[in-house]
Amino acid sequence: MVQPKIAPSMLSSDFANLASEAERMIRCGADWLHMDIMDGHFVPNLTIGAPVIESLRKHTQAYLDCHLMVTNPIDYVEPFGKAGASGFTFHVEVSKDNWQELVQKIKSKGMKPGVSLKPGTPVEEVFPLLEGENPVEMVLIMTVEPGFGGQKFMPEMMDKVRVLRKKYPSLDIEVDGGLGPSTIDLAASAGANCIVAGSSVFGAPDPAHVISLLYKSVENAQKSS
Ligand code: DX5
Ligand code: ZN
C-alpha cells in the first residue's frame, strides 16, 4: 500500500518567513513540503531557486518535494542536490530527449526522481519513464495549468490518475493544483496518494485540521479500494 503524503505548497506561504512557515506546516502534520520552482520561461511566473532551498535546509529536516517548472531541468540537478532537495520532479514536456540521463543524475545526487505532466499532456507520455532500468519514482499529475496557486481543480485529470494507479499499484502518484476539502475525495478515490495543497491549507483558519482531513481522505479511499 502506498503511503499518504500531504505536501503543503510553500508557494502560498509567507516567503519572507519561509523557515517559520515550514516549521508551522510540519507542526500542523505536513508529511512533505512542496517547493514550486519556476523559471519565468516554462511558466509565466518566477519563484525560487537552489539558494533558497539551501537556506531553508539549514532550518528544517523535512522532506523538500521540489517541483521544477523549468525549461532546462538538467542544469539544476547538481545545485538542487547540493542545496539539500529531497525530491526532484521535472516536466516530461521538456525532457523527452534526455530523461534517462536526468533520472540517473537525480538518483546519483541522492534525490527521488519524479516526472510531471501539464493538463494537456497525455498520460501515455510518462509510460516509458516508468519502465526499464532507471524508472522515475513518482508521477505528478497537474490538476491546474502550472504557474500560479489558487486556481480551480480540473476533475477531468482524474482519468490520468486512474490509468496510472491501475497500471502501477505501488507508484507514488501526486496531484497538484486546486486540492482541498472539496476536491480531495475525487483525487483520493482515483488513486492519488501524494497531495499538494497550497491555498486550501495556508488560507484556512486551522491548517492542521485541513491537513488531517486530506490525509484521512486518502486513507479512507485506500481502505475502500
Ligand atoms: C502551480 C503549483 C502548485 C500550486 C498549488 O503551478 O505547482 O503547487 O502552488 O496551489 P493551490 O493548492 O493553491 O492550487
Ligand atoms: Zn507544484
Side-chain angles (χ1 to χ4, degrees):
M1 186 74 86
V2 285
Q3 271 287 112
K5 301 278 180 199
I6 308 305
S9 169
M10 300 308 288
L11 185 60
S12 293
S13 75
D14 175 5
F15 271 157
N17 290 297
L18 192 53
S20 62
E21 290 283 76
E23 199 199 318
R24 180 164 74 100
M25 285 302 121
I26 295 300
R27 234 188 302 122
C28 285
D31 300 289
W32 291 353
L33 300 176
H34 186 78
M35 309 301 298
D36 284 306
I37 316 302
M38 305 186 188
D39 67 353
H41 186 255
F42 180 73
V43 287
N45 195 7
L46 187 62
T47 56
I48 57 167
V52 175
I53 300 296
E54 191 181 343
S55 296
L56 180 60
R57 179 47 85 212
K58 295 187 181 123
H59 297 269
T60 182
Q61 309 262 336
Y63 184 98
L64 301 178
D65 174 38
C66 297
H67 174 197
L68 283 95
M69 288 159 274
V70 304
T71 304
N72 296 315
I74 199 133
D75 295 345
Y76 299 101
V77 177
E78 194 155 335
F80 273 74
K82 273 202 190 127
S86 314
F88 187 106
T89 299
F90 58 89
H91 267 265
V92 70
E93 297 85 4
V94 288
S95 312
K96 287 190 188 121
D97 300 332
N98 66 349
W99 65 265
Q100 271 153 320
E101 186 192 355
L102 197 44
V103 170
Q104 199 258 326
K105 211 168 161 184
I106 294 167
K107 285 189 183 169
S108 78
K109 300 291 169 198
M111 297 179 287
K112 175 179 169 106
V115 68
S116 181
L117 302 95
K118 285 174 152 185
T121 305
V123 69
E124 291 73 25
E125 295 206 7
V126 301
F127 290 172
L129 286 73
L130 287 159
E131 269 132 46
E133 261 176 49
N134 251 338
V136 290
E137 293 167 17
M138 182 170 82
V139 176
L140 187 173
I141 303 290
M142 285 306 305
T143 45
V144 297
E145 281 301 335
F148 300 92
Q151 303 181 74
K152 201 169 166 284
F153 178 77
M154 300 166 78
E156 60 276 26
M157 294 302 124
M158 294 308 97
D159 288 345
K160 295 185 190 179
V161 175
R162 270 186 286 272
V163 166
L164 278 176
R165 179 54 75 219
K166 190 154 186 251
K167 206 162 147 66
Y168 305 100
S170 58
L171 175 69
D172 276 330
I173 303 178
E174 186 168 65
V175 282
D176 183 7
L179 270 308
S182 60
T183 50
I184 183 62
D185 288 337
L186 284 172
S189 62
N193 66 301
C194 304
I195 312 297
V196 177
S199 38
S200 68
V201 168
F202 283 93
D206 184 357
H209 174 72
V210 176
I211 290 172
S212 121
L213 188 152
L214 299 175
Y215 193 96
K216 282 186 192 136
S217 170
V218 175
E219 253 186 351
N220 289 341
Q222 290 182 336
K223 275 184 212 143
S224 58
S225 73

